[in-house]
Amino acid sequence: MNRSITKILTLTVISVVLTACGVQQVNDKLDKLPRMKTNDLVDVLDSISLLKPEHFYSKISTDFSDGHVSYSFKTSLRVRRDSAINAFITYANIPMITAMITPDTLTIVNRREKCYIQENMEYLKSILGVEFKQRNLEEIFLGQPIDWNKDEKYFQIHDPYNYIISSHKKRQIKKADKKDDYDEIILLYYLDNKAQNLNKIVIENPIDTTHIEVNYKKRQMVDSLNVPELVDVLITTPRDTINIAMDYNKTKVNQRKKLYLAIPDDYEECQ
C-alpha cells in the first residue's frame, strides 16, 4: 500500500469521514413544513450539541470511492470525549491501519507497508481544504452539529421543504459564491422534518472551492442517546470527488474501551 492509498484511508478515518447535494429539490411528493422560529431551531441544535457521551464505540462497515479506486473495509472506532479518536482499519480481515487523533496530533500507522504518518492537525487542511480540529471530527462521528457555539449568532435559511440553520446569512452565502477571496467557512445544519434530529451538515470553503456533506441517513437509540447508524459523506475538492458510506454496528456508548497505538521501532515515515 503506497502513500496515496494511505491518504485515502486517512480521509476515511477523518471523515470515517463522509449522497445528496445541496437543498432538497422541490417536487409534488413533498409537503411544505410548518414555519418555525429561528430561535427554536437554534435551541434544538444547542440541545443536540450537549448530548455527547464520554465514550463511544462502533464497528463500521465502510465503502470508499473516488475517481480512481473503490474499497470496502471495516473500521473499529473508539472515541474518548474531547481527548482522542482511535481507529483500527481491516481489509479482508487483515489489519491495515491504526490511527490516533488527539487535539494536537494525527498519527497513522500503515501496518502493511511498515511505515507511519505523524503530523499536527493542520495536515488535514492540506488534504481536505478545510481545517478540522479533533473535536470537529468527534462531532461528525457522533452525529452532532460541527463547530457549534451557543454564543455565536445563527441564521435560518428559509426553505419550505427543509429546516436549515446557517452560520451566515443567505446574502452572505450568495456573496461568497461570487468572490474568489472569501475566506470564511460556511456551515449549514439541516434538521429533520420534525425539527428533532440533525439530518445533514454542509461545510463550504469558498476560497478553496471545497464542499463537504455529511448525511445522517439513519439513526439509532443506544442507551437513550441518538447516534448515527447509516452515514454518507461527500467530499468535493478541486482535485477529486470522494464518496464514503458508513454502516455503524455493535455501537456502545459510555463503556470505556482501551485506546491503543504503537509505532514499531523498525517502521519509517511513509513516503
Side-chain angles (χ1 to χ4, degrees):
M1 180 176 292
N2 58 30
R3 187 178 177 90
S4 64
I5 296 178
T6 300
K7 282 189 176 183
I8 288 171
L9 294 177
T10 302
L11 284 168
T12 306
V13 170
I14 63 180
S15 309
V16 177
V17 155
L18 192 105
T19 307
C21 296
V23 175
Q24 192 173 11
Q25 296 298 312
V26 177
N27 60 55
D28 293 337
K29 296 181 181 179
L30 296 178
D31 295 325
K32 291 185 178 181
L33 300 175
R35 292 290 295 268
M36 289 191 64
K37 294 180 179 179
T38 300
N39 287 344
D40 291 339
L41 296 176
V42 169
D43 286 344
V44 171
L45 289 166
D46 274 340
S47 298
I48 295 173
S49 71
L50 298 174
L51 298 175
K52 183 182 290 189
E54 290 294 329
H55 304 278
F56 180 86
Y57 169 84
S58 193
K59 297 282 286 188
I60 302 176
S61 299
T62 309
D63 293 323
F64 174 99
S65 65
D66 64 7
H68 310 286
V69 297
S70 61
Y71 294 100
S72 296
F73 48 89
K74 305 289 185 181
T75 304
S76 177
L77 177 70
R78 304 176 186 200
V79 177
R80 186 171 295 172
R81 179 175 178 171
D82 301 328
S83 176
I85 298 169
N86 194 196
F88 302 87
I89 294 177
T90 59
Y91 178 75
N93 293 322
I94 301 172
M96 301 291 286
I97 297 289
T98 304
M100 184 79 75
I101 304 171
T102 68
D104 300 319
T105 307
L106 167 66
T107 305
I108 297 175
V109 179
N110 184 333
R111 298 178 64 178
R112 182 174 180 180
E113 294 298 320
K114 295 185 177 181
C115 67
Y116 67 92
I117 296 172
Q118 194 163 51
E119 301 280 355
N120 60 36
M121 293 302 290
E122 292 179 1
Y123 177 72
L124 302 185
K125 187 173 182 179
S126 68
I127 298 175
L128 294 177
V130 175
E131 184 177 349
F132 280 102
K133 299 175 182 177
Q134 182 270 339
R135 177 174 63 89
N136 301 145
L137 301 178
E138 186 177 308
E139 290 160 345
I140 289 175
F141 290 138
L142 297 178
Q144 296 184 310
I146 185 172
D147 210 32
W148 185 262
N149 185 344
K150 65 178 182 179
D151 296 323
E152 293 287 341
K153 177 69 174 176
Y154 291 96
F155 309 92
Q156 183 173 180
I157 304 298
H158 291 288
D159 179 328
Y161 303 97
N162 293 277
Y163 292 127
I164 308 170
I165 291 296
S166 172
S167 60
H168 291 66
K169 295 180 180 179
K170 190 171 184 178
R171 64 174 178 269
Q172 290 177 307
I173 297 173
K174 290 182 178 179
K175 180 181 178 181
D177 290 338
K178 297 177 181 178
K179 293 186 66 176
D180 295 333
D181 59 348
Y182 194 90
D183 61 354
E184 294 185 23
I185 301 299
I186 297 170
L187 296 169
L188 300 174
Y189 309 94
Y190 288 68
L191 289 159
D192 65 12
N193 289 351
K194 294 182 179 180
Q196 295 178 345
N197 295 309
L198 182 64
N199 263 10
K200 181 166 69 170
I201 302 169
V202 175
I203 306 165
E204 296 274 6
N205 183 1
I207 197 169
D208 194 42
T209 62
T210 296
H211 176 94
I212 300 174
E213 293 188 19
V214 185
N215 291 272
Y216 298 102
K217 299 178 66 176
K218 188 176 180 181
R219 288 177 172 269
Q220 57 186 321
M221 295 298 296
V222 179
D223 292 340
S224 301
L225 280 177
N226 190 306
V227 296
E229 184 173 359
L230 296 176
V231 184
D232 281 352
V233 178
L234 170 69
I235 304 171
T236 304
T237 72
R239 299 169 296 279
D240 212 345
T241 297
I242 297 164
N243 288 278
I244 304 170
M246 297 182 291
D247 184 354
Y248 289 56
N249 296 282
K250 300 180 180 179
T251 299
K252 301 182 185 300
V253 298
N254 291 326
Q255 293 187 20
R256 191 181 184 91
K257 297 282 186 178
K258 183 178 179 180
L259 306 185
Y260 175 80
L261 179 74
I263 304 176
D265 292 338
D266 59 340
Y267 279 30
E268 299 180 351
E269 288 192 55
C270 297
Q271 301 299 319

